[in-house]
Amino acid sequence: LEGKRLALNSSVLLKPLQFILHIPSEERGNTVRECFQIEFARFFYLGLYVQNTPGLPQCGIRDFAKADILFLL
């Protein structure tokens, strides 16, 4: 996956993205907080979706952060 955009179905990422979308307004713009939330969403994706859905790609934090759906935020 290195160097390629991760193509994931938006419905697969909808639940993990709630971790990012629900950052309190006073913490938005805090890069450390936003990166932590992206990492938390990735752990959720790996732990819930990848383990229970054959064929979903495992990915590192960089590839997960590059997923097309993240650019819709």
Side-chain angles (χ1 to χ4, degrees):
L1 293 174
E2 190 63 35
K4 297 180 182 176
R5 301 262 315 239
L6 183 62
L8 293 175
N9 184 320
S10 61
S11 63
V12 170
L13 285 176
L14 189 58
K15 185 68 174 175
L17 285 178
Q18 289 181 2
F19 295 108
I20 300 165
L21 293 173
H22 292 113
I23 295 174
S25 59
E26 63 273 5
E27 295 182 7
R28 290 187 184 149
N30 180 331
T31 305
V32 172
R33 174 69 171 175
E34 291 172 355
C35 289
F36 175 77
Q37 289 302 107
I38 291 170
E39 184 176 26
F40 194 49
R42 178 180 158 263
F43 287 143
F44 183 85
Y45 164 77
L46 292 174
L48 184 66
Y49 288 107
V50 171
Q51 288 185 359
N52 298 319
T53 309
L56 283 180
Q58 292 216 18
C59 57
I61 188 68
R62 288 182 182 173
D63 290 323
F64 185 82
K66 292 177 188 176
D68 291 338
I69 191 67
L70 294 177
F71 291 98
L72 298 176
L73 301 178

